[in-house]
Amino acid sequence: MRLIIFGPPGAGKGTQAGLLGERHGITQISTGDILRDAMAQETELGKKAKSYIDAGDLVPDALVRDLAEQAIADEGYDDFVLDGYPRTRQQADWLTDFLEGHDTPLDAVLSLSVPDEVIVRRLSRRRVHEETGETYHLDHDPPPDDVDPDLIVQRSDDEPETIQNRLDVYREETEPLTAYYEERDLLVPVDGTGGIEEVFGRIEEALDALER
Ligand code: AP5
Ligand code: MG
């Protein structure tokens, strides 16, 4: 299947994409993870992206286009779920053209909705493993005891003011893409509230319905 998992920061895109990978063999392609990796390794791309990411702004479209297209090509144009791409109208147009050019159109855009106050709680209590990028939540999904606590850190863009800016940027630039995918009959709204497994159950139901 060729999927997008869509939604505001902290909606659970990465968490749910990870479960799609573990349980259905659908590879997560997260432009955010690729950019954070590049930042950690201090590559040219990482250096260019850092100031945007730390401020909670979008990095320029041209910087993420190749990352996403290369990752899709590496997966053989199938069995992937895009997490965090596209985020602007320009990126969505590029993606549509790219996939149509390979005769591999999207199957669905799973759009998670979560109220802002829940998002802020999720993001302010999120922690990540510095080396593996594994995501935890201090209340709902704490790091296991055998993980070195010194490697558990907070993301640079999970400060309260930055979270607010990311939400504002999402509303302005990214949320309008729901109409874009609705017009193309690809949008599948998914209630993103409740526990991680509860949300995953809704995603599995939505995917079953698509296959019928
Ligand atoms: P990116 O990494 O994509 O961040 P984001 O969209 O802001 O989303 P998050 O990763 O913060 O949240 P998520 O929805 O994945 O939630 P998660 O599963 O972690 O992008 C970062 C930055 O990179 C951008 O700001 C931008 O600068 C740049 N960038 C990336 N892509 C770009 C693009 N295409 N164009 C331009 N710039 C780009 O869950 C959050 C927390 O909640 C976790 O702690 C988790 O454990 C917990 N949680 C999850 N689900 C539940 C649940 N059901 N119940 C309770 N807790 C839960
Ligand atoms: Mg994420």
Side-chain angles (χ1 to χ4, degrees):
M1 291 199 106
R2 293 178 290 272
L3 303 171
I4 291 177
I5 189 135
F6 189 86
K13 301 182 296 296
T15 303
Q16 298 299 330
L19 291 176
L20 281 168
E22 278 167 32
R23 299 182 195 172
H24 296 276
I26 296 175
T27 305
Q28 174 189 16
I29 298 177
S30 161
T31 42
D33 286 350
I34 297 171
L35 291 167
R36 276 184 293 278
D37 240 27
M39 273 163 58
Q41 292 173 28
E42 299 183 1
T43 64
E44 277 313 304
L45 170 70
K47 286 181 206 159
K48 282 189 196 142
K50 185 173 172 23
S51 60
Y52 298 100
I53 292 186
D54 285 350
D57 291 327
L58 296 183
V59 308
D61 290 333
L63 281 187
V64 285
R65 178 188 190 174
D66 286 351
L67 304 180
E69 293 184 358
Q70 186 59 54
I72 292 168
D74 290 346
E75 288 310 314
Y77 302 91
D78 206 0
D79 290 327
F80 61 82
V81 53
L82 289 168
D83 160 10
Y85 189 89
R87 275 173 134 100
T88 63
R89 176 61 195 251
Q90 172 68 81
Q91 293 177 21
D93 283 335
W94 281 335
L95 179 66
T96 300
D97 291 348
F98 177 73
L99 291 176
E100 275 175 4
H102 290 89
D103 217 11
T104 52
L106 288 168
D107 292 299
V109 177
L110 303 165
S111 174
L112 294 172
S113 55
V114 178
D116 282 7
E117 60 276 14
V118 177
I119 286 177
V120 172
R121 247 195 332 272
R122 285 189 187 172
L123 290 184
S124 53
R125 303 280 288 162
R126 170 165 63 186
R127 296 295 181 272
V128 290
H129 192 287
E130 200 168 38
E131 287 170 359
T132 64
E134 186 76 33
T135 297
Y136 303 103
H137 188 282
L138 295 180
D139 306 323
H140 316 288
D141 185 16
D145 292 338
D146 59 353
V147 172
D148 179 355
D150 290 342
L151 294 177
I152 300 299
V153 297
Q154 192 163 23
R155 248 169 68 170
S156 61
D157 56 352
D158 279 347
E159 303 289 333
E161 310 84 75
T162 318
I163 293 173
Q164 190 52 54
N165 187 46
R166 285 161 63 203
L167 284 169
D168 293 345
V169 169
Y170 172 77
R171 300 276 174 247
E172 183 82 13
E173 307 245 17
T174 308
E175 195 173 35
L177 296 183
T178 54
Y180 177 96
Y181 286 117
E182 199 161 25
E183 277 164 24
R184 286 159 180 77
D185 233 4
L186 288 168
L187 196 76
V188 179
V190 177
D191 176 357
T193 61
I196 291 170
E197 291 296 337
E198 205 178 336
V199 176
F200 192 65
R202 292 186 197 120
I203 288 179
E204 287 189 311
E205 269 172 35
L207 294 179
D208 283 348
L210 282 179
E211 281 176 344
R212 272 202 295 274

